[in-house]
Structures are given as structure tokens and as C-alpha cells.
Amino acid sequence: MRLIPKNLMMLWVLAVLCCLPTTAWAETFAVVTAIAEPDARGRWRPVQTTPAAAKLEGETRTPLVVGMALDLGEQVVTDEARVTIRLGKREHITVSPAAAITIQERSVIQRMGEVYYQVRDIFSVQYGTVQTAVEGTEFAISGSESGVGVAVTD
């Protein structure tokens, strides 16, 4: 039996690692953990995917799917759907119907609608001219033509 020299083996391992897709190296920033939409009677039911909740890339709408990874800078919009997104290990945001957000690092740019936040560390939300910064709490931010409201629940 012929042994492969150690240097040649290391070179082969390096070549294989370099050929892996870059997503294998990146850690997922956020993950869609739940999607719900109303049934014919108006009761919220869990679904795996719906065109009423989407990721925007330019003019392209990609329906969200439970388990879908979201990266920094991605935009999420909801029509008649509610979406829960996990940030990190123990933080969640729930995007209500008729809402739009852009995910940033330790912050969210909220463009419309209501979003419920459950965060552990310092986190900020910008909604128009209103900037909200919190540390380890649960809160909701909602907005309409009449203004922006912030409610701390914990």
C-alpha cells in the first residue's frame, strides 16, 4: 500500500474546500420560522409558503418559505400573511400583515405596518423619522399615515 505524502494530502483538502459554494462558509443571519395566513373564515392557519409574504429583490418577489435563510439587507413584505423570523439564536421578530422591513445587523428599517420584536441585546428600529433603540426587551412598532406608535411589552 502506497502512502500519500502529507503535503499532497493538505493540498488536496485545500482544493476541495475552495470548490465548495460560498454559502457553505457563510452563517445564516436570519431564518423564517413560521408563516400564517387566514383561511376562508378569517382564522390564522400555519402554512409552509405563501405568495402573500415575500422577499423583494429589485422588482422580483420571491415567496417566503419556512426555513428560508435571509441575509443582511434583504427586504421582507407581507400582504395578508404573518411571518416570524428568527435572528440569531433567541431573538424573533413577527411581521404583521401589510408590513415591510429591511433586515440590518442589530437593526431593522421598518417602512410600513406593525412588527413585534423580541430581542436580547441592543437593537434599533428606524421607521421614517422615528428611531427606537432598546436593550433586551419585547416591543411593537406600528405605523400609519397618522404617525408611528411604540409599545414596550416587557
Side-chain angles (χ1 to χ4, degrees):
M1 184 167 143
R2 188 168 164 226
L3 294 176
I4 299 173
K6 189 175 186 178
N7 290 347
L8 186 58
M9 180 61 91
M10 292 297 287
L11 184 61
W12 182 82
V13 168
L14 183 60
V16 168
L17 290 175
C18 289
C19 292
L20 290 175
T22 57
T23 55
W25 297 95
E27 184 176 324
T28 301
F29 183 78
V31 176
V32 176
T33 57
I35 302 172
E37 65 181 359
D39 63 13
R41 293 179 157 176
R43 293 179 294 197
W44 289 95
R45 301 285 188 206
V47 295
Q48 288 298 304
T49 187
T50 177
K55 175 173 70 167
L56 290 183
E57 297 175 81
E59 295 295 317
T60 305
R61 283 178 62 106
T62 305
L64 294 179
V65 178
V66 173
M68 176 185 276
L70 300 171
D71 294 320
L72 292 175
E74 292 199 305
Q75 298 177 43
V76 172
V77 295
T78 57
D79 297 324
E80 192 62 31
R82 190 171 22 209
V83 177
T84 301
I85 300 169
R86 186 186 76 233
L87 306 172
K89 293 185 180 180
R90 291 192 230 161
E91 297 179 314
H92 295 86
I93 61 175
T94 301
V95 184
S96 295
I101 64 168
T102 301
I103 298 171
Q104 304 289 314
E105 188 166 351
R106 303 302 314 148
S107 70
V108 164
I109 298 171
Q110 186 174 333
R111 291 185 308 287
M112 63 183 201
E114 181 175 330
V115 180
Y116 182 72
Y117 299 87
Q118 297 170 292
V119 295
R120 293 177 47 89
D121 296 319
I122 295 173
F123 194 86
S124 68
V125 178
Q126 181 178 340
Y127 195 128
T129 59
V130 176
Q131 176 90 22
T132 303
V134 298
E135 183 173 357
T137 192
E138 296 180 19
F139 63 103
I141 296 183
S142 59
S144 65
E145 292 178 10
S146 61
V148 176
V150 179
V152 178
T153 60
D154 186 30

